[in-house]
Amino acid sequence: MHNDRSITEARLKRVLDERIRPALYPESVPLTVGVWNAPGEPVPVEEGIAAARTPIEVGAPWGPPWGTSWFTVTGTVPAEWAGRTVEAVLDLGFDENMPGFQCEGLIYRPDGTPVKGLNPRNQWVRIGAPAEGGEKVELHIEAASNPVLLDYHPFLPTELGDKETAGSEPQYKLARMDLAVFDEAVWELVQDLEVLGELMAELSTDSPRRWEILRAVERALDAVDLQDVGGTAARAREELTEVLSAPAHASAHRISAIGHAHIDSAWLWPLRETVRKVARTTSNMTALLEDEPEFVYAMSQAQQFAWIKEHRPEVYAKVKKAVAEGRFVPVGGMWVESDTNMPGSEALARQFVHGKRFFMDEFGIEPQEVWLPDTFGYSASLPQIVKQAGAKWFLTQKISWSQTNKFPHHTFWWEGLDGTRVFTHFPPMDTYNAQLSGKEVAHAVANFQEKGGATRSIAPTGWGDGGGGTTREMLARAKRLKDLEGSAKVVFEKPSEFFEKAHAEYQHAPVWVGELYLELHRATLTSQAKTKQGNRRSEHLLREAELWASTAAVRAGFAYPYERFDRLWKAVLLLQFHDILPGTSIAWVHREAAERYAAIGAELTEIIEAAQTALAGDAAAGTSVVFNAAPHARAGIAAGAAAVAAGSGRPVSAEAREDGSFVLENGLLRVVVDGRGLVVSAYDLVAERETIAPGEAANLLQLHPDFPNMWDAWDVDHFYRNTVTDLTDVESVELVDGGSVRVVRAFGESRVEQLLTLPAGERRLDIDTEVDWHETEKFLKTAFPLDVHADRTAAETQFGHLYRATHTNTSWDAAKFEACAHRFVHLEEPGWGVAVVNDSTYGYDVTRAVRESDTGTTTTVRLSLLRAPRFPDPRTDQGVHRFRYALVPGASIGDAVREGYRVNLPERRVPGDAQVAPLVSVADDAVVVTAVKLADDGSGDVVVRLYESRGGRARTKLAAGFALASASYCDLLERPTADAEAAGGEIALSLRPFEIVTLRLVKE
């Protein structure tokens, strides 16, 4: 037989594109259109529907950036269409390649009932099949003219990312507003040919199956009359029946499809627009569920359900009904799909507490899986948090984006830093926006790493990022791929059903230990410094507020603000969404985040002050009470306690030398700051050891060019290190305040002022840095070259720390050239170490070099301070920033933990004369209390969460500072799991390395 394969395949493409698809709507009539442009922010539905309309024609421009236009379309179904299926085809000016990233709409009936969403891949609304014709049609469209920011040439700076700078130029032209006859036979033929054509393209040319499909397609195309596609579509479909009914092989891979629309809670749109995106998408999905009995849809993020409940109750009613039917599935169990690198211990725990509690309260459902398809790396603490939150499975897809190393598994056990394991799956389709195309399905099969051990994978199916969800075309593909020779078997089912089957068949899956590091998007640890500082400050203010409110409630009858804490926690958790906290959203989002953090901070400070006032005693006594919210004692004040302020310690000596340098000494540490404002010596007087590497200087600010290959706010590429400018020029270096060194320097368009302080009685150098930053596409770091030989560093993460290599032996080590740390980075030789602690940074890097002079090792720790990408926010980080960090020579890992908390939880002084004993206390400093609060159920029980912080075993006792009736161990949601023995008001504890323990204490 002659090989005419390429000719037939080219014929298929042209006939589909130019003849069959255009025949979907063989007849149409225009609708009459009127428009009302809302003058400001979105208005309530009833107001939008009632507003007076102005006529508008197809082809007319509409929609300023971030505007809302209410269209009304009216018309009459022609009498001659009686009995035929009619749809309204509504094209707002869509580019079909940008679903979720441009204009969108939500369609309503005249009574305000939502019908479905409108987007570039979903431009239709079914009118029905009127028996007689003449039916009147009236629909209202709430259309959002969201501008396109990520265009075909991506990452171009734009002012469209904030309503304040976007201007008023119309963004779109109305394209089509018609009533049309929908030819179902043609539509089905399109689906047949698309599925077979895509499958055929993935099969080997040596495969008989490919040629069988080719000949069937050829016969079908012969059967189509190109001048009467509708009249011959059924005949063409008959030619495809045999190849479409051939069953899949018994060994075919099984794909569990699940309807999905990953909706970023903010990204290239503001939070308020996400509220509407969720309403549009869920309207679409509930409508599709009514039409398609085999369809199952999953949605994560309790916050998004809460938004619909609050802002679109009519949509939420449909969602609740579909959830009750078991076909609209809440998944994930988190408040939002948060970043997991940067949120603190309690915050990551509370993501599950508030998320799960919402799903249980609203639907009576407790999700068992964690659903984080798009987050930028996954903390090693997550498995234990997941398990203690009552979940058992984990899903992500993002690790497939790694630039350097291909992750070796798709289904595996993930072991966290404490040894907890969670069953984990990565969809081998390598997308969370699957369309179930032939290419995607074939890729899933070929890519699946578990062949021979497992047979299943999952495919989140639907348009996402900006929403949209699953389409009828995707469901049509799934029906044809359910049992089709040459393809994997595709079936829609709940994620829980997939995980149960996958777990059952692959219980002895391989194990991955430690963090799931994404070898991409490393700059998300630094971009938008004010957002990160707002998060860190809010987390610690929440800790303080809960601690002192609980103490005051038990000791002084203070009214514990349950509802305020619930609201404030949810506000902070929302801003930890994986495009907000990482600094990758538009300017509008980060401007609003700053405003929200300011309001959160003010309200929490008010709660703290009220609680402390209730505890402090006589404000007129002429003394001050010092409150210590840190989990370790300091200045003689126990953790979680307060005492009347004592006198200051002995003064620190400060000397100005003739060579322009300065020497600070406090009996524990001697620090030399040279005339450039750099630390050239930090000598540990106790250990008789120098901290700074020979010939090097610390507190060195370094500036790099920063123009990654793509993903500006997300990425920093390794080549940024090739060029560096050391900022050594100074305007002034001087002694101030009797014991600190003040350094002022300017560079580029920016200015920095630093205060270097050696506290009395502390082996620590505090550095307070204020930067007035006006650079573009630059990366600012601060360097500490240390005389320490260490092949690994310890970086704090939630409920512990993890180790990363300082060397680049393997490509896996080398890829971690920028990583995450919370309050400290620590490195050590046996018996002596150094910590660098901070109050608001997350990104850091460590490099090592061997000195020629003495063959010693210089290990340089650098904190990442500021960046200046221009997309998606062209003025990222411009303005004044303040950072506090410290160098701690001679630090053990326990010292690093203590000093990290100290710099983030400064003492508070309140007028008064009281001594406030801790509400709870722990005898061992290795055991850190992360939360003291009253139980969320309003019972008045005291809840304490703590963990082992040093990576070793700990035996200790927790003492209650109140009469204790009973105690129990709990999960993160404060549900008792076992009784705890309490004797004499104390509970004996035995903790494994990094183990988290939650206790519920019942007062007498």
Side-chain angles (χ1 to χ4, degrees):
M1 184 181 292
H2 297 296
N3 186 347
D4 59 351
R5 175 182 58 80
S6 59
I7 294 175
T8 301
E9 290 171 356
R11 179 189 178 194
L12 171 62
K13 182 180 186 308
R14 185 178 186 192
V15 171
L16 258 177
D17 289 346
E18 297 185 23
R19 290 293 185 271
I20 301 179
R21 286 196 189 96
L24 285 174
Y25 294 110
E27 300 176 52
S28 62
V29 295
L31 289 160
T32 301
V33 189
V35 66
W36 174 69
N37 298 307
E41 285 295 281
V43 301
V45 173
E46 56 272 17
E47 182 179 343
I49 290 177
R53 301 297 196 259
T54 300
I56 185 172
E57 299 294 328
V58 167
W62 72 276
W66 308 113
T68 301
S69 296
W70 281 86
F71 294 98
T72 296
V73 295
T74 56
T76 302
V77 177
E80 59 269 25
W81 292 0
R84 302 170 73 182
T85 301
V86 178
E87 293 184 345
V89 183
L90 308 172
D91 185 346
L92 298 173
F94 295 128
D95 179 339
E96 69 171 15
N97 295 317
M98 292 189 178
F101 292 90
Q102 54 171 225
C103 58
E104 302 170 41
L106 182 54
I107 302 168
Y108 296 90
R109 295 188 178 91
D111 64 359
T113 304
V115 180
K116 66 189 297 285
L118 199 62
N119 64 58
R121 294 293 180 127
N122 214 317
Q123 302 179 24
W124 57 274
V125 58
R126 180 65 57 89
I127 302 301
E132 299 181 359
E135 178 181 337
K136 301 294 182 184
V137 175
E138 180 178 341
L139 298 170
H140 303 281
I141 308 167
E142 181 190 17
S145 50
N146 301 333
V148 175
L149 290 104
L150 195 64
D151 213 333
Y152 289 98
H153 186 164
F155 316 120
L156 291 178
T158 174
E159 297 290 352
L160 290 172
D162 195 331
K163 195 172 184 180
E164 294 184 353
T165 59
S168 58
E169 188 70 21
Q171 299 292 293
Y172 300 98
K173 289 184 178 180
L174 210 58
R176 183 178 183 183
M177 294 277 152
D178 288 346
L179 279 180
V181 172
F182 175 73
D183 193 321
E184 191 163 352
V186 172
W187 185 85
E188 294 287 1
L189 177 60
V190 170
Q191 312 315 311
D192 290 344
L193 291 172
E194 284 187 346
V195 166
L196 289 171
E198 291 171 0
L199 173 60
M200 182 170 58
E202 300 303 322
L203 296 172
S204 166
T205 54
D206 295 328
S207 165
R209 175 65 169 163
R210 178 163 182 162
W211 290 91
E212 289 168 5
I213 295 173
L214 183 81
R215 294 307 169 206
V217 166
E218 185 176 48
R219 292 192 297 272
L221 295 177
D222 289 342
V224 174
D225 182 342
L226 298 186
Q227 276 66 52
D228 183 18
V229 173
T232 55
R235 185 175 66 196
R237 294 194 68 206
E238 290 174 2
E239 299 294 339
L240 303 173
T241 300
E242 184 175 350
V243 289
L244 282 170
S245 59
H249 297 302
S251 60
H253 183 71
R254 289 163 171 80
I255 294 176
S256 298
I258 179 67
H260 187 240
H262 169 67
I263 302 178
D264 287 309
S265 288
W267 179 27
L268 302 180
W269 45 85
L271 288 164
R272 68 91 152 140
E273 193 56 33
T274 313
V275 175
R276 302 200 296 175
K277 283 178 173 287
V278 174
R280 296 174 198 128
T281 298
T282 53
S283 293
N284 260 346
M285 297 304 95
T286 52
L288 199 57
L289 287 167
E290 292 176 1
D291 294 341
E292 299 286 347
E294 295 183 4
F295 180 46
V296 182
Y297 180 76
M299 188 169 106
S300 70
Q301 307 191 70
Q303 172 68 86
Q304 295 190 358
F305 286 85
W307 275 335
I308 322 173
K309 180 181 179 182
E310 178 183 358
H311 297 283
R312 288 290 191 272
E314 67 282 1
V315 176
Y316 191 64
K318 292 186 174 184
V319 169
K320 286 204 76 169
K321 178 177 179 292
V323 171
E325 293 168 351
R327 299 179 59 215
F328 193 117
V329 185
V331 293
M334 297 176 73
W335 189 248
V336 294
E337 289 183 12
S338 76
D339 181 82
T340 73
N341 285 316
M342 292 175 283
S345 303
E346 274 304 303
L348 198 51
R350 305 294 177 99
Q351 285 285 353
F352 290 92
V353 170
H354 288 281
K356 281 208 160 194
R357 193 167 286 148
F358 180 92
F359 289 138
M360 290 188 291
D361 290 347
E362 288 291 314
F363 309 120
I365 291 173
E366 182 176 359
Q368 295 296 296
E369 69 291 304
V370 179
W371 191 271
L372 289 173
D374 189 34
T375 299
F376 310 145
Y378 306 91
S379 160
S381 65
L382 257 176
Q384 184 178 195
I385 295 172
V386 167
K387 188 171 183 178
Q388 293 209 11
K392 57 185 177 182
W393 303 311
F394 183 85
L395 178 140
T396 184
Q397 177 270 322
K398 200 67 174 186
I399 298 300
S400 70
W401 286 43
S402 286
Q403 285 179 317
T404 306
N405 298 286
K406 180 179 175 62
F407 196 80
H409 312 299
H410 283 108
T411 303
F412 59 100
W413 287 100
W414 177 23
E415 181 177 317
L417 55 82
D418 73 307
T420 299
R421 292 181 178 179
V422 59
F423 192 74
T424 299
H425 180 71
F426 294 173
M429 205 170 279
D430 287 345
T431 179
Y432 49 80
N433 293 325
Q435 302 170 53
L436 300 182
S437 68
K439 185 175 183 179
E440 289 173 337
V441 171
H443 177 72
V445 175
N447 189 39
F448 189 54
Q449 300 293 297
E450 318 307 321
K451 297 182 184 74
T455 64
R456 302 173 184 278
S457 65
I458 200 168
T461 301
W463 296 108
D465 291 323
T470 318
T471 65
R472 60 184 177 184
E473 288 78 14
M474 296 172 191
L475 292 176
R477 291 191 188 108
K479 289 176 183 177
R480 288 159 175 79
L481 297 173
K482 187 173 183 178
D483 190 13
L484 182 62
E485 183 185 352
S487 172
K489 295 181 178 181
V490 178
V491 61
F492 271 89
E493 61 183 355
K494 298 177 183 178
S496 60
E497 293 172 332
F498 160 77
F499 273 110
E500 291 284 6
K501 294 172 185 175
H503 189 182
E505 76 170 3
Y506 204 40
Q507 295 184 36
H508 301 293
V511 178
W512 179 269
V513 178
E515 66 181 326
L516 294 171
Y517 178 92
L518 178 64
E519 296 172 355
L520 190 73
H521 292 358
R522 303 168 183 90
T524 58
L525 302 171
T526 306
S527 296
Q528 297 287 0
K530 282 188 168 63
T531 299
K532 291 168 172 59
Q533 289 176 328
N535 175 72
R536 180 78 70 85
R537 181 168 181 262
S538 297
E539 289 180 347
H540 288 87
L541 285 171
L542 279 160
R543 172 199 175 90
E544 289 190 81
E546 288 184 337
L547 170 64
W548 300 125
S550 300
T551 305
V554 174
R555 297 273 169 72
F558 182 77
Y560 191 80
Y562 292 100
E563 292 183 1
R564 295 175 79 183
F565 279 141
D566 180 75
R567 172 173 47 79
L568 288 164
W569 264 115
K570 288 173 179 174
V572 172
L573 298 178
L574 168 58
L575 296 176
Q576 291 177 340
F577 178 75
H578 67 254
D579 275 309
I580 302 178
L581 181 53
T584 52
S585 289
I586 55 175
W588 188 344
V589 172
H590 292 289
R591 172 172 57 81
E592 187 175 52
E595 295 166 357
R596 292 186 179 212
Y597 280 130
I600 290 165
E603 187 168 357
L604 287 169
T605 299
E606 176 191 319
I607 294 171
I608 292 166
E609 290 175 348
Q612 290 179 338
T613 298
L615 291 165
D618 185 2
T623 54
S624 296
V625 178
V626 179
F627 285 82
N628 175 24
H632 307 92
R634 65 182 176 202
I637 303 173
V644 174
S648 59
R650 73 180 185 86
V652 176
S653 68
E655 174 191 355
R657 291 177 172 176
E658 290 184 0
D659 64 0
S661 65
F662 302 88
V663 179
L664 308 177
E665 187 172 333
N666 67 357
L668 299 173
L669 198 62
R670 183 173 62 240
V671 174
V672 180
V673 181
D674 70 6
R676 302 171 297 171
L678 304 179
V679 177
V680 293
S681 175
Y683 190 78
D684 183 344
L685 295 168
V686 178
E688 299 182 338
R689 170 158 180 172
E690 177 59 60
T691 307
I692 309 304
E696 301 288 349
N699 188 40
L700 174 64
L701 293 172
Q702 295 183 304
L703 196 64
H704 296 271
D706 186 18
F707 189 64
N709 286 345
M710 57 193 305
W711 297 108
D712 296 43
W714 293 256
D715 284 357
V716 55
D717 289 325
H718 190 274
F719 54 74
Y720 88 94
R721 289 180 173 176
N722 297 347
T723 306
V724 60
T725 301
D726 293 342
L727 302 178
T728 57
D729 293 342
V730 291
E731 291 186 355
S732 64
V733 183
E734 59 184 344
L735 281 176
V736 295
D737 298 331
S740 298
V741 177
R742 179 174 176 267
V743 182
V744 179
R745 64 179 91 244
F747 57 94
E749 301 298 319
S750 303
R751 184 178 179 84
V752 60
E753 181 175 324
Q754 294 184 301
L755 198 66
L756 282 64
T757 304
L758 187 60
E762 302 287 349
R763 198 156 56 170
R764 180 185 77 240
L765 176 65
D766 290 333
I767 303 172
D768 192 325
T769 299
E770 183 174 282
V771 185
D772 189 5
W773 178 250
H774 296 284
E775 304 306 302
T776 299
E777 295 171 350
K778 295 292 196 311
F779 197 0
L780 181 67
K781 288 189 170 252
T782 182
F784 296 87
L786 307 172
D787 189 11
V788 178
H789 177 77
D791 61 2
R792 65 180 188 176
T793 61
E796 189 185 35
T797 187
Q798 302 90 358
F799 299 108
H801 57 267
L802 72 157
Y803 292 102
R804 298 187 180 100
T806 61
H807 55 72
T808 55
N809 280 1
T810 70
S811 59
W812 296 87
D813 298 326
K816 296 180 181 179
F817 60 83
E818 184 81 4
C820 182
H822 285 199
R823 288 168 288 241
F824 71 80
V825 177
H826 178 263
L827 62 159
E828 65 179 343
E829 297 171 2
W832 194 87
V834 183
V836 179
V837 301
N838 74 85
D839 79 334
S840 57
T841 67
Y842 293 94
Y844 81 97
D845 72 270
V846 176
T847 54
R848 66 202 303 263
V850 175
R851 302 186 293 270
E852 292 185 6
S853 59
D854 63 356
T855 67
T857 302
T858 298
T859 306
T860 301
V861 176
R862 300 198 304 169
L863 302 183
S864 303
L865 300 182
L866 290 165
R867 299 184 68 238
R870 299 179 66 209
F871 182 87
D873 177 1
R875 285 182 291 279
T876 301
D877 280 334
Q878 300 300 295
V880 177
H881 304 268
R882 187 179 181 188
F883 305 94
R884 294 183 181 90
Y885 41 90
L887 177 68
V888 190
S892 65
I893 194 71
D895 295 328
V897 173
R898 183 190 66 248
E899 293 299 329
Y901 275 103
R902 177 204 58 79
V903 74
N904 284 275
L905 289 163
E907 63 185 27
R908 292 179 183 269
R909 292 174 177 260
V910 177
D913 61 354
Q915 300 289 115
V916 181
L919 194 60
V920 296
S921 58
V922 180
D924 187 346
D925 268 359
V927 177
V928 170
V929 174
T930 63
V932 178
K933 61 189 290 293
L934 296 192
D936 290 343
D937 61 9
S939 63
D941 295 349
V942 176
V943 172
V944 182
R945 187 146 38 245
L946 47 83
Y947 71 102
E948 195 289 318
S949 67
R950 300 178 185 176
R953 302 271 174 169
R955 290 184 179 274
T956 188
K957 291 183 178 180
L958 180 139
F962 52 89
L964 185 61
S966 64
S968 59
Y969 293 98
C970 301
D971 66 7
L972 296 183
L973 277 71
E974 303 172 6
R975 298 176 295 195
T977 56
D979 292 335
E981 293 186 13
E986 293 185 334
I987 301 167
L989 299 172
S990 178
L991 282 78
R992 300 185 311 274
F994 302 129
E995 182 180 3
I996 305 167
V997 172
T998 305
L999 292 163
R1000 185 172 184 132
L1001 311 179
V1002 180
K1003 304 189 299 291
E1004 284 188 355

